[in-house]
Amino acid sequence: RGELDPRDRRNRGITDIEFAPRDPNGKVTYTTTFTILKPADMTKANGTLVYDVTNRGNPRFAGRFTRFVLAGGPGDLELSDPGDGSVYQAGYVVVTSGWQGDLPIASVAAGREGITVPIAKNPDGSSITGRVLVRFAAGAPGNVVVGFSGPVNTLALPGPGRTPASLDTTQATLVSKASETQSGSGGGVVSIPSADWAFADCRTTAFPGTPDPTRVCLKGGFDPARLYELVYTAKDPFVLGVGLAALRDVVSFFRYESKDNPLAGRITHVVGYGVSQPARMMRDFINLGFNEDEAGRAVWDGAFLDASAASGQFNIRFAQPGNIAGLYDPVAEGPSWWEDYTDTVRGRPSWGLLNRCRTTKTCPLIMEIEGGADFFFVKGSLGIAGTTGQDDIPLPSNVRRYYMASTNHTGGADNFDVDQPPVAQCMLPANPLPWIETERALFARMNEWIQKGTLPPPSAYPRVTDGTLVPATAQAMGWPAIPGAPTPDGVMNSVVDYDFGPNFRYNDHSGVIDNVPP
């Protein structure tokens, strides 16, 4: 259990903290789970604590580097390591905890971390409401926006924190589209009459089904050939930013406190480590100033960001922290760049992800690893060339960036077999190039950097100025003309200048989205 002082300047940037319930001492409280992996003999610890930022509740660090398997019952945990055990042999302590606010403790399965954060309420105790957007396509396994349960005529709405305020479909809209451009222009748009769909479960009862605030069903079923867009009024948003403050306080406790701390006196340095979604969150964490704890001390000495490219929905009312980079998802509206940069294209003032931590002298040393997918899908060129695509923003001295050329998201299969099948739902063979061996070497260099000041290898990534970062077209890339094969033209996720409304704080990547869709 933890508590936050909403008056502390380090907490005031949390969206809706002023609407969070208070305990008798005027504090905002949360409860989180945590796990520690440490040497049984702590004299063999190397002094570095790795904070493993969980991916939708799942830890990644030790498993990514050693593929360990957990066996045994509660209280009798055994580690079976089919890899070389380098993480453990090197003496790292690994800590994970819950931070993603829409994964309450009661909702997560064993082996995952959860956190229970407050629900924002109006001062009179009534529900805070707001319009929210859900976009989905039926029959698309692994869809990042929504999950499906049962037959395709039933849609499971995104998890808690976005509950419909009313089941009256006349208060919501559902449209379908035959096509859509990257800027949101739809073709073949059809408004579905409110009598033809319902907030209901139709898995076992025919339409209109059984009323259910967590599901939507459509008379006749959803058409896999069409895109659907649902807008409705939600209530009772989580105060999601409390999860970032909880992460800060968990790490600070295990690093600095002596009372009730099993790691007391053994931790000299801390590295935050995240892959994909966690790495995106780490950008917002640093940007919002959370690398300074409530006593003014640094939380992470180093931050190792694997496949981040942009930010995410981690401190926004009614947000979906698990979303990635679909149209209308706020992932690149704030700064993607570490150095201060003026976004003249979108009319925003000079800012960078290190702006706040520079003021408090709490910036970590940073390693950022990106692959091809992070450019095409998660708008990775923004942090390099800015919104003009020509600016070549310099990297600060405390940041290293490494590009794993043309690779899939987080790297290929752990082998160099060039005979690879396509990635699911794709046409071209997957790139087999793994990241793990290179990452392990870089992580060792990160530890030397924070402990001894030994500089790591210089950054290696494409730049506009040397002609290695070019427009995503076949002509600019020198893409071969292969009969029947796709080209890169028109498939990159565009950067769009969104108007989210007057209460969205762009440089903080925080606040409230009033325009739905933007």
Side-chain angles (χ1 to χ4, degrees):
R1 181 184 177 277
E3 61 182 25
L4 304 171
D5 183 351
R7 298 164 297 181
D8 191 306
R9 65 169 176 80
R10 302 166 186 90
N11 300 323
R12 285 203 296 264
I14 298 172
T15 296
D16 287 337
I17 194 168
E18 68 272 28
F19 298 118
R22 312 287 175 89
D23 69 8
N25 297 317
K27 302 296 179 64
V28 174
T29 64
Y30 62 86
T31 306
T32 184
T33 65
F34 68 91
T35 302
I36 304 172
L37 295 176
K38 68 181 184 69
D41 179 359
M42 281 295 287
T43 64
K44 297 181 180 179
N46 69 5
T48 296
L49 183 155
V50 180
Y51 181 81
D52 182 1
V53 186
T54 57
N55 188 314
R56 299 166 179 86
N58 298 296
R60 294 290 299 271
F61 175 76
R64 184 159 170 81
F65 285 172
T66 67
R67 302 175 205 82
F68 72 89
V69 177
L70 301 181
D76 185 28
L77 195 66
E78 297 177 0
L79 296 178
S80 172
D81 180 11
D84 64 6
S86 61
V87 169
Y88 308 120
Q89 292 173 12
Y92 290 108
V93 172
V94 181
V95 172
T96 63
S97 66
W99 65 267
Q100 186 174 326
D102 64 342
L103 296 177
I105 294 173
S107 72
V108 298
R112 299 174 72 193
E113 307 286 1
I115 183 170
T116 302
V117 302
I119 291 174
K121 294 282 188 179
N122 287 312
D124 63 2
S126 61
S127 290
I128 289 176
T129 62
R131 302 292 272 180
V132 298
L133 173 70
V134 181
R135 289 161 49 81
F136 60 95
N143 186 296
V144 298
V145 179
V146 294
F148 289 88
S149 179
V152 295
N153 66 339
T154 300
L155 159 70
L157 288 174
R162 291 164 62 93
T163 302
S166 169
L167 302 189
D168 181 359
T169 56
T170 65
Q171 304 302 309
T173 60
L174 179 63
V175 302
S176 73
K177 305 178 182 181
S179 63
E180 188 175 65
T181 68
Q182 291 177 327
S183 59
S185 297
V189 179
V190 175
S191 295
I192 299 173
S194 59
D196 288 351
W197 66 279
F199 288 106
D201 187 348
C202 294
R203 289 177 297 173
T204 57
T205 304
F207 183 86
T210 304
D212 186 341
T214 68
R215 298 184 184 278
V216 168
C217 56
L218 176 64
K219 186 177 182 180
F222 297 110
D223 182 351
R226 298 184 70 83
L227 172 72
Y228 293 87
E229 192 170 277
L230 169 65
V231 176
Y232 65 94
T233 299
K235 66 177 182 179
D236 298 336
F238 288 126
V239 186
L240 294 170
V242 166
L244 278 63
L247 185 162
R248 172 198 67 196
D249 293 350
V250 166
V251 177
S252 176
F253 175 84
F254 286 122
R255 175 171 187 169
Y256 293 114
E257 297 302 319
S258 57
K259 184 181 178 182
D260 300 325
N261 181 3
L263 307 179
R266 297 293 182 180
I267 303 302
T268 59
H269 297 84
V270 178
V271 176
Y273 175 88
V275 181
S276 189
Q277 180 223 27
R280 291 190 293 276
M281 186 277 282
M282 292 168 72
R283 288 168 167 266
D284 279 0
F285 183 89
I286 294 169
N287 183 27
L288 289 165
F290 284 116
N291 205 48
E292 178 195 11
D293 73 6
E294 289 185 326
R297 302 166 298 194
V299 177
W300 296 329
D301 301 288
F304 197 99
L305 287 74
D306 179 326
S308 60
S311 298
Q313 306 180 44
F314 308 119
N315 190 36
I316 300 170
R317 181 185 292 179
F318 288 122
Q320 294 176 265
N323 274 19
I324 301 176
L327 193 67
Y328 306 128
D329 285 341
V331 297
E333 284 55 64
S336 291
W337 36 86
W338 297 101
E339 190 53 80
D340 285 358
Y341 166 80
T342 303
D343 183 353
T344 57
V345 174
R346 296 185 290 191
R348 294 176 198 153
S350 178
W351 193 262
L353 295 170
L354 301 180
N355 195 289
R356 283 191 175 88
C357 68
R358 280 174 168 167
T359 301
T360 58
K361 296 180 172 57
T362 56
C363 290
L365 301 175
I366 294 165
M367 283 187 179
E368 175 182 78
I369 298 176
E370 310 293 356
D374 303 304
F375 281 77
F376 273 82
F377 187 49
V378 201
K379 314 179 196 316
S381 64
L382 265 182
I384 299 173
T387 46
T388 67
Q390 300 292 324
D391 285 333
D392 240 359
I393 304 170
L395 281 180
S397 61
N398 64 316
V399 179
R400 293 289 188 275
R401 176 184 289 134
Y402 304 106
Y403 175 55
M404 306 293 196
S406 300
T407 47
N408 307 329
H409 185 57
T410 75
D414 192 14
N415 59 59
F416 291 91
D417 183 358
V418 297
D419 186 17
Q420 294 286 327
V423 175
Q425 301 177 18
C426 293
M427 295 176 65
L428 299 175
N431 189 333
L433 178 66
W435 291 12
I436 291 177
E437 288 78 8
T438 308
E439 271 194 25
R440 282 168 40 156
L442 287 172
F443 195 85
R445 301 293 81 77
M446 168 64 85
N447 199 37
E448 292 176 356
W449 198 11
I450 64 171
Q451 290 216 8
K452 303 176 183 177
T454 305
L455 293 178
S459 295
Y461 64 95
R463 297 167 172 85
V464 175
T465 49
D466 65 9
T468 55
L469 183 62
V470 300
T473 65
Q475 181 178 6
M477 295 171 66
W479 191 269
I482 305 172
T487 75
D489 297 270
V491 299
M492 175 174 276
N493 247 2
S494 302
V495 175
V496 181
D497 184 5
Y498 288 112
D499 178 4
F500 286 115
N503 294 305
F504 190 80
R505 306 192 303 271
Y506 291 90
N507 278 356
D508 286 352
H509 223 246
S510 301
V512 180
I513 296 175
D514 293 304
N515 295 339
V516 182

